[in-house]
Amino acid sequence: MEKFFFFLYSLFSFLIYIAALPFLALFSFKAKYKDSLPARFFLWKNKPLKSDGIWFHSCSFGEAKAIKPLVDALPQEALRMSTTTHTGFKVIGEYTEESRYLPFEPLLLGWLKPQKALVVMEAEFWYLLFALAQSRGAKTLLINARMSDRSFPKYEKIGWLYKQIFKHIDEVYAQTELDKERLELLGAKNVLVTGNIKLGHLPGVTKEVKKPSGLVVCGASTHEGEEALILKAFVAFKKEHEEAVLLLVPRHPERFDKVAKMMENFAETHHCTMQRYSQNDVLNSDIVLVDTLGELVNIYAISDIVILGGAFEPIGGHNAAEAAQFGCRIISGKHYFNQKDIFDAIEGIAVVEASNLSRRLLQYGLLKPTEIKNKSDITAIVESLKSVL
């Protein structure tokens, strides 16, 4: 049955790949995908990773950053890395030259080399990735595993697929007891609760940014529709706090220019000054577009109030712990369903409806400095990986 499923799944994924080829070729010319799509779907400049290493796969920028404590605990020559996003690739490239974009599943059949271990972050449930890695000798680990209230019912509906996937995962390290229970219902075995890795080793300040004299409001990791909302709220806030400064940090670099135009129009309409951080990192304007990757934590360190994006629109939220480590007062929208575990571990976050953002910001004095209640312990994961070296 298992071999039959492997054959059917491989055939199905290959047929999907063939059907999608014309669209993939077209999208490969877009600036956003010019590196990742050719590498992932055509193996362009994407040779296999060296054999016999510890292979980490993490999808996003945040996940790639979160594995750093594990990376630091292992010999550099043993490291192998993969990701699926452009921002994630920039991070893993700092860990080792053995960094690649993860090929689409059917291409793994000829690409994947034997490794000592495969470590996958959170919810990257690729059947062929785990099955092939395990069959070629790797110990397979799923770390920081989670099952949100929103996603679990969807996973349950196709539980037969996840039962097959978990057959090829040797160890699972879950964020919470509830995650453990849900993962076991889907077929996971050897599940240990280690807490959220993203709370275990938070990124620190890489350079000192001089804080303006007034209150600093940071609109962090914002998405489409959220910048306009924050700018509107800031107008009312600045009437009461004349020296206040707004720093806007869009989540995706490809939106920097679009947000810049929006902010320029806003500045002209409301008679305030505006600058781009990439052109001048001295914060001497009323509103600043932070259009440089890797600066968000440095900005958090000088922020009095953080309006955390990704939750005023139904995106799922972003990691509040990076700001909470500095005791920032945090305001979030209600759509933080992908970050519920992190939000539960932090005291003081104000969650509001988008329509109430202006009023909540004006109540600045009632906001509480945030505090992280608990972190995580990666000792068991490190020991498991060192056992195969």
Side-chain angles (χ1 to χ4, degrees), residues 120-125 130 141-149 151-153 155-156 158-196 341:
V120 176
M121 272 287 281
E122 294 196 356
E124 289 286 282
F125 293 109
F130 284 110
L141 287 71
L142 179 67
I143 65 172
N144 219 41
R146 59 187 173 87
M147 278 287 148
S148 69
D149 294 340
S151 63
F152 181 60
Y155 282 89
E156 273 194 310
I158 51 172
W160 54 270
L161 172 60
Y162 292 99
K163 283 186 180 357
Q164 292 296 326
I165 293 173
F166 279 114
K167 285 180 180 179
H168 301 284
I169 302 178
D170 297 314
E171 298 172 0
V172 178
Y173 297 88
Q175 294 184 16
T176 67
E177 288 292 343
L178 180 58
D179 291 319
K180 176 182 178 180
E181 180 182 333
R182 289 172 172 173
L183 288 160
E184 287 176 337
L185 286 172
L186 292 174
K189 58 185 183 293
N190 299 325
V191 185
L192 179 68
V193 176
T194 53
N196 193 322
D341 54 321

Side-chain angles (χ1 to χ4, degrees), residues 94-288:
E94 296 173 2
Y95 299 148
T96 175
E97 291 183 358
E98 284 298 307
S99 296
R100 308 285 188 269
Y101 283 105
L102 182 71
F104 185 53
E105 283 195 279
L107 300 179
L108 289 172
L109 289 162
W111 186 88
L112 194 153
K113 301 296 182 185
Q115 303 295 342
K116 292 180 178 178
L118 168 68
V119 186
V120 176
M121 272 287 281
E122 294 196 356
E124 289 286 282
F125 293 109
W126 298 106
Y127 171 76
L128 286 180
L129 174 62
F130 284 110
L132 288 171
Q134 189 186 62
S135 69
R136 295 176 188 182
K139 178 191 239 184
T140 54
L141 287 71
L142 179 67
I143 65 172
N144 219 41
R146 59 187 173 87
M147 278 287 148
S148 69
D149 294 340
R150 184 174 179 175
S151 63
F152 181 60
K154 299 175 184 177
Y155 282 89
E156 273 194 310
K157 288 179 181 178
I158 51 172
W160 54 270
L161 172 60
Y162 292 99
K163 283 186 180 357
Q164 292 296 326
I165 293 173
F166 279 114
K167 285 180 180 179
H168 301 284
I169 302 178
D170 297 314
E171 298 172 0
V172 178
Y173 297 88
Q175 294 184 16
T176 67
E177 288 292 343
L178 180 58
D179 291 319
K180 176 182 178 180
E181 180 182 333
R182 289 172 172 173
L183 288 160
E184 287 176 337
L185 286 172
L186 292 174
K189 58 185 183 293
N190 299 325
V191 185
L192 179 68
V193 176
T194 53
N196 193 322
I197 290 175
K198 292 178 180 177
L199 298 175
H201 181 82
L202 296 170
V205 172
T206 57
K207 80 172 185 182
E208 186 176 345
V209 178
K210 185 176 180 181
K211 188 182 187 299
S213 57
L215 289 171
V216 176
V217 180
C218 172
S221 294
T222 55
H223 294 255
E224 185 77 35
E226 294 182 326
E227 292 91 6
L229 181 72
I230 292 170
L231 286 166
K232 180 181 177 181
F234 183 70
V235 168
F237 185 75
K238 194 166 176 62
K239 289 178 181 177
E240 294 194 9
H241 303 276
E242 292 184 2
E243 294 188 355
V245 173
L246 173 65
L247 311 178
L248 267 181
V249 192
R251 177 70 172 182
H252 298 118
E254 61 269 19
R255 297 186 61 244
F256 286 163
D257 289 341
K258 181 178 181 178
V259 176
K261 290 179 182 177
M262 178 195 303
M263 293 175 68
E264 288 166 2
N265 292 335
F266 177 88
E268 184 177 349
T269 301
H270 295 278
H271 309 290
C272 60
T273 56
M274 180 266 179
Q275 71 184 74
R276 295 183 70 147
Y277 188 82
S278 60
Q279 297 172 358
N280 179 11
D281 62 2
V282 178
L283 306 176
N284 53 16
S285 297
D286 297 314
I287 56 176
V288 180

Side-chain angles (χ1 to χ4, degrees), residues 7-20:
F7 172 77
L8 281 183
Y9 187 95
S10 301
L11 178 62
F12 182 67
S13 61
F14 181 74
L15 291 175
I16 290 177
Y17 172 67
I18 295 298

